[in-house]
Amino acid sequence: MGTAATDEAGSATRALIFALVALACGHMLSTLLRTIPAISLDLMAADFHIEPQALASLTSVYHFAFAAAQIPVGAAMDRFGVRPVSLALLAGTVFGAVASGFATGPESFAVGQLMLGVATSGMLMCPMTLAAKQLSAARFGLWSGAILSIGNIGMLLSSSPLAFVVDTWGWRAGFWVSAAGGVVVALAVFALVPNQPAEHKDHSSPMAQMIEVLRLGLSRPLRGLIALALVSLASSLVLRGLWGGPWLMEIKGLSRVEAGNQLGAFTLAMIVGPLLIGMIDRRIGRRRELVAGTHAFAALLLALMALGAPHFAVAWLFGVTVMPPHYDLALFVLIGLFTSAQPLLFGMSRQLVDAQVAGKALAAVNLAFFLGTALMQSVTGAVAALAGLPAVLLFMAAALAFGVLIFLTYTSPRS
């Protein structure tokens, strides 16, 4: 009898693991799609007959749509369940990737990006929601890290492998491959994810839920966290997903595949970083200081990267025209590691509010992450057009430093 129960429990655990991995592959697809422009921005801009900086601002449509859809998609999961929502989002992702691949100009590309932003908005929430419902708090902590790591593999795929695809078959091939990947992931979700009944937790309208999340995010306890969240994920995603490739190819003279290799190392640091930061957090138990210190150091690293450009201060100090690409490689890896303290903001938000609004507090932080990414991507496009790529990195460094300052002010024990 005991053996049968053990076998049944083991079988259920294996089924859950397969389901979580299938859903996490949707998050991997999301991170691949949002970082395609980093490797192919120049070719896309030439095809559409517009400036790369203008196209960079246009790609922020993806992140605005992604942020706006967060709460309605979360409400849909409560009402309909994870499996049907995930399948609907994957179908939208395939259509969005195909639309982006067929784009003939900035307008049609913006439509494709809008579709992709909405469709991929729930790719992280789907596995997280299933894990939260099925696992204990301790195991959820382990799996939330695993889901993020699996998802970030998408950024590995959009480094050297995507650079090879783009060099060989053109930028549109990146979207064709992603569309095919969406079909494969949808089949895996259909086969492996259980069709559980929805729980109908919250029958209020998406608009009412959005207003409540915004009200909570602007409340004094969360204000410092939201300020840092607005620039935290943005600094790493906009660098990795948009400006890293042009910086290495235009300023440092690397080929597309060489730039992809450096961005791949950056991504590996972003995969390993959350695990390392999590261990340090558990060891020292000073979360506020750890979050502020890592982000402040990341701001300094961004400034040092900018100042390594031709005839800028760091290059001048070392007596060279421009700092070599190995300098940027080291900085990319360190930035990837130090910006990996972002997930600790979720933990802090749960500590600062009552249990009954913890879910909405998490949604407020999540919304700030992606809204901030959209804003920074849009603004840095204008900065690049006005003042060039070094100014973009200096602007991002200043925004991150300002976010740390507000975070420290509002999370001070005195306040």
Side-chain angles (χ1 to χ4, degrees):
M1 194 79 171
T3 306
T6 303
D7 289 346
E8 193 174 326
S11 176
T13 301
R14 282 194 298 275
L16 178 60
I17 288 171
F18 284 133
L20 288 173
V21 169
L23 290 168
C25 286
H27 181 42
M28 184 198 306
L29 189 64
S30 168
T31 60
L32 167 62
L33 281 162
R34 80 165 68 110
T35 50
I36 286 177
I39 285 293
S40 51
L41 189 71
D42 55 334
L43 298 176
M44 293 160 69
D47 238 13
F48 296 155
H49 307 295
I50 63 171
E51 290 297 313
Q53 294 87 346
L55 184 60
S57 292
L58 189 65
T59 59
S60 65
V61 168
Y62 176 103
H63 294 286
F64 279 116
F66 192 105
Q70 289 288 310
I71 294 168
V73 168
M77 270 190 281
D78 275 343
R79 295 188 181 193
F80 305 112
V82 171
R83 185 173 186 261
V85 171
S86 176
L87 289 171
L89 292 175
L90 283 163
T93 301
V94 171
F95 280 115
V98 169
S100 295
F102 273 120
T104 55
E107 296 83 4
S108 52
F109 183 69
V111 171
Q113 290 292 287
L114 181 71
M115 291 171 65
L116 284 175
V118 172
T120 59
S121 63
M123 294 304 187
L124 177 58
M125 283 193 287
C126 285
M128 288 292 195
T129 302
L130 184 65
K133 288 179 179 179
Q134 300 286 322
L135 300 174
S136 66
R139 291 183 69 202
F140 175 72
L142 171 71
W143 268 98
S144 61
I147 289 164
L148 288 169
S149 292
I150 291 169
N152 281 344
I153 292 171
M155 286 191 279
L156 269 184
L157 296 175
S158 69
S159 54
S160 304
L162 180 67
F164 173 77
V165 168
V166 170
D167 267 346
T168 308
W169 294 290
W171 67 266
R172 296 177 191 274
F175 288 104
W176 303 140
V177 170
S178 299
V183 173
V184 173
V185 174
L187 291 172
V189 168
F190 184 80
L192 298 171
V193 176
N195 195 14
Q196 297 172 322
E199 295 182 11
H200 302 284
K201 285 183 180 176
D202 191 344
H203 288 279
S204 61
S205 69
M207 181 59 71
Q209 292 175 40
M210 178 75 82
I211 291 168
E212 176 61 20
V213 168
L214 293 175
R215 186 199 63 75
L216 189 62
L218 293 171
S219 66
R220 188 169 184 87
L222 290 189
R223 215 170 286 167
L225 274 68
I226 296 299
L228 185 54
L230 282 168
V231 293
S232 172
L233 186 67
S235 60
S236 55
L237 275 192
V238 173
L239 181 62
R240 171 60 189 85
L242 186 62
W243 296 117
W247 174 263
L248 292 169
M249 289 186 282
E250 293 173 23
I251 305 296
K252 297 305 174 85
L254 297 187
S255 70
R256 197 175 307 279
V257 172
E258 288 170 336
N261 290 338
Q262 288 217 15
L263 295 178
F266 183 19
T267 307
L268 281 174
M270 293 170 69
I271 292 171
V272 174
L275 302 173
L276 292 177
I277 296 286
M279 286 190 284
I280 295 168
D281 175 51
R282 284 193 294 273
R283 180 69 57 90
I284 67 174
R286 299 179 68 86
R287 186 168 286 178
R288 174 177 177 267
E289 291 80 2
L290 181 60
V291 169
T294 50
H295 282 88
F297 197 61
L300 174 63
L301 294 170
L302 278 166
L304 288 174
M305 183 178 285
L307 297 175
H311 310 298
F312 274 63
V314 172
W316 177 78
L317 280 172
F318 279 89
V320 294
T321 305
V322 60
M323 293 300 288
H326 293 304
Y327 171 78
D328 300 273
L329 176 60
L331 291 176
F332 272 128
V333 170
L334 289 172
I335 291 168
L337 291 173
F338 281 96
T339 54
S340 293
Q342 294 146 357
L344 296 183
L345 291 172
F346 284 123
M348 288 188 74
S349 71
R350 295 187 70 167
Q351 293 171 327
L352 289 170
V353 298
D354 295 332
Q356 62 265 31
V357 291
K360 287 186 171 64
L362 294 177
V365 174
N366 204 33
L367 183 62
F369 276 143
F370 292 105
L371 181 61
T373 301
L375 289 169
M376 187 171 285
Q377 192 148 322
S378 184
V379 172
T380 53
V383 173
L386 288 170
L389 292 180
V392 167
L393 298 185
L394 288 172
F395 173 82
M396 290 168 64
L400 198 51
F402 187 58
V404 171
L405 189 62
I406 298 176
F407 171 81
L408 286 172
T409 302
Y410 278 99
T411 58
S412 163
R414 287 191 299 277
S415 72

